[in-house]
Amino acid sequence: MESEPQVTVLFTEKPHELNAYVYGPFTPRTIDAAQISRRYPHITGPLEHRGLECVEDFGLSGYILHVLLPNGGYLTISPPQGNGEIADAIPGFPNSWHVTRDHPDANDQFEVIYSSEPGGPHEHNRGSVPAMLAAVYQCLEQMGVPGREELLATQARAEQLLREAGFLDRSTNDDVRFQLPPGATGLAARSAAVTRAVRSFKSEGIGYVCPADLLGVVVQAAPAAASSPRGSAARTTSATLPFVTPPTAPGERLTEALSGQPHQPVLRLQ
C-alpha cells in the first residue's frame, strides 16, 4: 500500500499570475483549535515534531489519541478504557498505555504494538511515557515513516526545484509560495516552467497538483484537483501524469479512517 507524498506542490493560475504553493508537515498552516490535544501535549509534542498529525478523540471511557500515518493508517494511543482503572489520577498520566496500529482498508494490518496494562508484555513499564514513545518510534522506523530531518530536506528540495524551474520565492508567514515572474506568464512560458518542475518532482517523489493544459497533454476523465483557498482553483490533472492526492486535514482523514466512509480530499494551505 503506497504512502502519500509528504511534500506536495500545488500550482494555481490567475489571468496574469502562476503560483506554486509548497505544502508539507512543517509549512505554515492554521491549526484547528479543536484538534489540539490539551490532555497529552507531552505525547503529541514529540510526534508532531516528527511531522505527524495527532487527533484527540473520546474512547470507551476516556480520551485517546490517533496518530495519522502517511499510508492512510493510524496509531491509537490509549489509557485504560472501560476496565475500572482510574485512567487519569494525574491528568494525562495514566497508570498504563495501550497502543495499536490499524488501517481502514487493510484489516490484516491491525496489531498491538505496545501494552503496559496488567498482563500485557510491557506491564513492567506501567505508565511510563518515554517507554511507550520508544515503542511508537520503533514502529515508525519499521514502517519507514520519515523523520523530521528527512521531511525538512524534502521540503527544501521542492523549493529549490521551483527556483531552478524559474519561480521566485514569495513566501510569507502564512504560506510557502513561489511565483513565476510577471514577464513570463504566457502559456508557453508557464508550460515550460511547470513541466520542468513536475519532471523533477516525479523523479524525487514529491507530490504535485497542476492544471493539465500546462503540461501540453489531453485530459481524459482525470479526477478533480483540490481547490485553492485563495479562489484560484487548480484544474484537473493529466491522465498521463498521474494525479497525486494532497495530504488531508486531520479531521477529514480521521473521519475516513475510523468510519470507513470516503471523503473528498482537500488541500489546506490556510
Side-chain angles (χ1 to χ4, degrees):
M1 191 168 298
E2 295 184 1
S3 298
E4 297 177 357
Q6 291 295 282
V7 175
T8 299
V9 178
L10 171 66
F11 294 93
T12 65
E13 283 188 294
K14 292 182 179 179
H16 303 289
E17 187 176 300
L18 177 64
N19 293 306
Y21 296 91
V22 180
Y23 181 85
F26 302 111
T27 52
R29 62 189 186 276
T30 300
I31 299 177
D32 185 350
Q35 303 295 344
I36 299 176
S37 171
R38 303 188 185 281
R39 293 168 180 81
Y40 306 115
H42 50 302
I43 298 174
T44 59
L47 294 172
E48 290 173 349
H49 184 77
R50 189 184 173 116
L52 295 170
E53 298 179 53
C54 301
V55 180
E56 190 174 284
D57 195 9
F58 194 81
L60 294 175
S61 59
Y63 285 92
I64 62 179
L65 284 176
H66 297 293
V67 184
L68 308 186
L69 302 173
N71 68 351
Y74 54 92
L75 302 180
T76 298
I77 301 176
S78 170
Q81 296 288 310
N83 56 7
E85 291 190 58
I86 300 176
D88 283 324
I90 300 177
F93 293 88
N95 50 21
S96 66
W97 294 100
H98 188 77
V99 184
T100 60
R101 178 171 76 101
D102 202 357
H103 195 289
D105 301 324
N107 293 333
D108 59 338
Q109 285 193 14
F110 177 84
E111 65 172 325
V112 176
I113 65 172
Y114 184 85
S115 177
S116 62
E117 296 177 339
H122 310 97
E123 179 180 6
H124 58 283
N125 292 329
R126 295 185 59 79
S128 171
V129 172
M132 181 270 290
L133 284 177
V136 169
Y137 269 68
Q138 182 179 6
C139 176
L140 296 175
E141 294 294 337
Q142 292 174 347
M143 294 178 62
V145 177
R148 180 181 177 87
E149 291 185 1
E150 183 179 348
L151 291 170
L152 288 173
T154 302
Q155 180 176 319
R157 180 59 176 160
E159 296 174 16
Q160 178 184 347
L161 292 174
L162 285 171
R163 294 187 188 94
E164 293 177 357
F167 288 79
L168 302 177
D169 193 340
R170 295 288 187 263
S171 300
T172 67
N173 291 331
D174 298 322
D175 54 37
V176 179
R177 179 172 66 95
F178 286 75
Q179 187 178 78
L180 208 60
T185 54
L187 181 58
R190 291 186 180 196
S191 179
V194 172
T195 300
R196 188 182 306 118
V198 164
R199 285 174 178 169
S200 298
F201 295 157
K202 291 180 66 178
S203 67
E204 301 199 24
I206 297 171
Y208 62 90
V209 180
C210 65
D213 59 350
L214 294 183
L215 297 172
V217 293
V218 178
V219 178
Q220 297 179 355
S227 61
S228 166
R230 294 162 185 80
S232 54
R235 295 193 293 278
T236 53
T237 56
S238 163
T240 59
L241 287 174
F243 175 83
V244 179
T245 303
T248 56
E252 295 166 342
R253 192 158 149 200
L254 181 65
T255 298
E256 180 180 10
L258 300 181
S259 68
Q261 298 300 316
H263 69 275
Q264 289 294 329
V266 177
L267 182 60
R268 298 190 183 278
L269 293 168
Q270 297 176 342

